[in-house]
Amino acid sequence: VSSAASSPASPGACSICRYLIVASVIAGTSWLGAARTAAGALALAVHLENRAIAAYLDALPRLTSPDLRGTAASMLTSDAEHLVVLRRELGEDPVPSAFAGGAG
Amino acid sequence: VTATTRRGALAAAGAAALAVRAGDAAARASNGDRAVLGRLIVVERSAAVAYEQAAGAPSLSSRERAVARDFGAQEREHVAVLGRALEGIGGRPPSGDPAPADVRVGAKALAEVRERADVLGFLLGFELETVRLYYEAHQRLGRGALLRTTGAIMGNEGQHLAVLRQALGRDPIPTAFETGR
């Protein structure tokens, strides 16, 4: 990741990464009150993972560095995998859509 | 020919050369993107065949066969969406499914595996290869607009991976960076 972030062919990449981090923190703090129960905490986690996936899908077309695109896609995929575990814990279908984030 | 017009002619020639180079680059990008999407469609068709075969595997439980059917249907959705994307950039999607005997992971074909763990292991190996191809595709695609689609599909393939790992009693998410390796 560090080598990708330092790539000279990725102008704006750092600001996009900062946006992803800040968006995750803001989403988390605004939902903390809902996480008082196990189901609430799991639902919060599902919400955060979906937000993160949506942010990665928005960021991918704006990233110019091939290495950063690959890294972002691998992180998006890991977040999509988290959803499988979380949905199972909630008793839901773990893979309800053919497209992570609902994009087609 | 005055100096002004010579400068104008040189500038025009330079601009024309730049335009030609830009056109060449765009054409190379288009050809590259078409090749990447065509390869992904072939792999998705193979994945659909693999899951559809697994949906009839006697060694899997009825629930596992249902999951295989669902995942096969999702691979078909990927084929359709990627096909439309390829047509949108002037390409022609490859048609026709591979024969089950030609769907292989390494030297092994799905038709050659019988036991539950072997069938699930085959599907896991195929999904790992598929995710690796998507990871590489994200580094190669020239059109950013295609990346939303391929990103959403790669995420879904990762979810298939997590389900298959869990079915095999493995850690469903062994890495924070899923690259298929």
Side-chain angles (χ1 to χ4, degrees):
Chain A
V1 178
S2 58
S3 63
S6 62
S7 168
S10 56
C14 288
S15 63
I16 290 173
C17 292
R18 276 196 295 273
Y19 162 77
L20 291 170
I21 293 167
V22 170
S24 297
V25 170
I26 290 171
T29 52
S30 65
W31 275 67
L32 280 178
R36 296 180 193 281
T37 64
L42 289 169
L44 166 61
V46 167
H47 172 78
L48 291 175
E49 295 288 2
N50 277 319
R51 288 279 298 261
I53 290 168
Y56 280 118
L57 289 174
D58 284 342
L60 272 173
R62 293 150 58 190
L63 293 171
T64 55
S65 158
D67 283 347
L68 265 182
R69 284 180 170 184
T71 301
S74 74
M75 293 163 73
L76 179 162
T77 303
S78 177
D79 285 341
E81 292 173 347
H82 294 168
L83 281 174
V84 168
V85 175
L86 294 168
R87 287 181 182 136
R88 276 235 161 106
E89 289 296 321
L90 284 164
E92 299 176 359
D93 180 352
V95 193
S97 167
F99 302 94
Chain B
V1 179
T2 66
T4 302
T5 56
R6 275 200 301 272
R7 275 200 298 277
L10 285 169
L18 282 174
V20 168
R21 280 200 292 275
D24 288 347
R28 278 196 301 275
S30 290
N31 288 336
D33 287 355
R34 284 196 286 265
V36 169
L37 290 183
R39 173 73 180 133
L40 292 176
I41 290 170
V42 168
V43 170
E44 291 284 1
R45 283 186 174 281
S46 299
V49 169
Y51 279 117
E52 287 158 6
Q53 288 284 304
S59 62
L60 298 187
S61 69
S62 59
R63 190 162 173 270
E64 288 168 338
R65 288 198 296 272
V67 170
R69 265 194 303 279
D70 288 346
F71 286 4
Q74 292 184 344
E75 307 296 3
R76 293 290 179 197
E77 287 187 61
H78 299 166
V79 169
V81 167
L82 290 171
R84 286 197 292 274
L86 179 52
E87 287 172 344
I89 58 172
R92 181 186 296 177
S95 60
D97 289 342
D102 293 331
V103 179
R104 293 178 172 272
V105 173
K108 192 175 286 186
L110 181 59
E112 298 166 7
V113 296
R114 294 281 183 272
E115 299 299 319
R116 173 184 177 276
D118 294 335
V119 172
L120 295 175
F122 181 93
L123 296 172
L124 179 64
F126 201 94
E127 284 287 6
L128 281 169
E129 177 70 9
T130 303
V131 167
R132 188 181 63 78
L133 284 173
Y134 273 99
Y135 174 72
E136 292 174 358
H138 282 89
Q139 297 175 315
R140 292 178 182 168
L141 285 170
R143 281 180 168 77
L146 296 172
L147 295 171
R148 277 188 69 85
T149 299
T150 53
I153 295 175
M154 181 175 168
N156 177 247
E157 303 293 1
Q159 292 176 328
H160 294 175
L161 268 182
V163 170
L164 290 166
R165 286 176 179 138
Q166 278 190 322
L168 284 163
R170 300 184 190 175
D171 180 354
I173 313 169
T175 173
F177 303 92
E178 187 64 80
T179 64
R181 295 194 176 96

